[in-house]
Amino acid sequence: MSLGSEHTARQAAERRIREVYPLVRQYLAGLLDDYRPRHGALRTAVGTLIGQGRSSPHEFALPLLIHGAISGDPEPAVPVAGVHALWWRAANTFDDLVDGDTEGHHLYGTDRGVAMLAALESGYALPLRALEAAELPTPLRRRLAADYLDCWTRATDGQIGDLLNRPQQVDTAQVLEVYRKKSGSVYEMAGTMAARLAHGTGRGGSGADGDDPAVAAWGEFGHLLGVLAQFRNDHDDLCGGPGEDLGNGTATYLLVHLLHSAPAAAREHALALLERTAAARSTRRELAAMMLAPKIVRPYNRFLTELHDRAHALLTTLAPDSPFTDCLRARVDAETRLLEPRDTATAASVR
């Protein structure tokens, strides 16, 4: 296939995915209809969360693209896309509450306490109800529910680790484990569930003996994409973003990499800066400059490139000829943000 033909096929695949989005929204609306008339307040609260809550870029698309890459048709994955979106609405709500991203006593146009309770229903009870009601063989329904719960538990563990970790007290392996759980497991859930649905198998569990190898491989692809997405989030905050991670003293991979890679004197200086980042933007700029030094950035970029290449290799093995796979390749590329090594003067301009 020529490059022009590949581009046209990919554009057609992207259009097809967008055509399915309204079906996902209809599916979510149908789930809420089941709350009538007994749970009207909860239905309104969850509806507000779905309609006005903070969305995530891949919440609809990833399950649809993976199912399309396997089977040629994304539409059967609508329930999985809906469940994935519900998880993200819940997770983003809890994240915004923890970070204090609220307007007084309100969040997404409703009371913060109401938003929190709606998020609990949206992320836990409602997805399980949806999977239980799906017209699928019982073993498959049970495995999909187990995939979802495994993700929920790992992601929660990762989020707690993220809140508790301190940059001066952890190493890069510990930070990476948090990334794998809080972000990698969520995308892995989308990949595993979509692939399991496409292959129609209820065998085994996530990482269990006897699990379908193709399902596990799609889960690994999702996992890699999720980890890259977390690194991309770090990149965007550091390079041109608000610098919230440094201001909050978050144990990001790059910061911890600096603290473990720098000579003793530079490490002590970085730690001294870290103590003052919450109060001084100029201190954040100086610490960012140290993080973007060539000796720090180059091994960091090599590591991200390894993750990127592994994700591409999996796609080549799993579904090399599908236009939906080309869409997934584009998403891997978009989530891979390599840092540009900068000298101190240049890097100090980073906010």
Side-chain angles (χ1 to χ4, degrees), residues 279-298:
R281 184 177 292 274
S282 60
T283 303
R284 292 199 292 271
R285 287 198 296 267
E286 186 176 354
L287 186 54
M290 297 181 69
M291 293 165 65
L292 292 171
K295 289 184 179 180
I296 303 301
V297 167
R298 285 170 186 149

Side-chain angles (χ1 to χ4, degrees), residues 28 85 89 104 116-117 137 142 154 220 273 287 318 334:
L28 293 174
R89 287 295 192 279
M116 180 180 68
L117 291 170
R142 288 176 176 170
R154 293 199 307 274
E220 182 185 356
L273 292 173
L287 186 54
L318 290 167

Side-chain angles (χ1 to χ4, degrees), residues 20-36 42-44 46-53 55 59-61 64 77-90 121-123 126-131 148:
V20 180
Y21 285 178
L23 300 181
V24 181
R25 296 187 181 96
Q26 291 172 19
Y27 176 78
L28 293 174
L31 294 178
L32 290 181
D33 283 344
D34 290 341
Y35 284 78
R36 292 175 174 170
L42 181 58
R43 180 185 183 279
T44 298
V46 176
T48 298
L49 193 71
I50 292 173
Q52 301 183 35
S55 62
E59 60 182 16
F60 282 7
L64 301 176
V78 162
V80 172
V83 164
H84 195 227
L86 288 170
W87 188 95
W88 276 111
R89 287 295 192 279
E121 184 75 12
S122 172
L126 185 55
L128 293 181
R129 290 180 186 278
L131 292 172
Y148 186 81

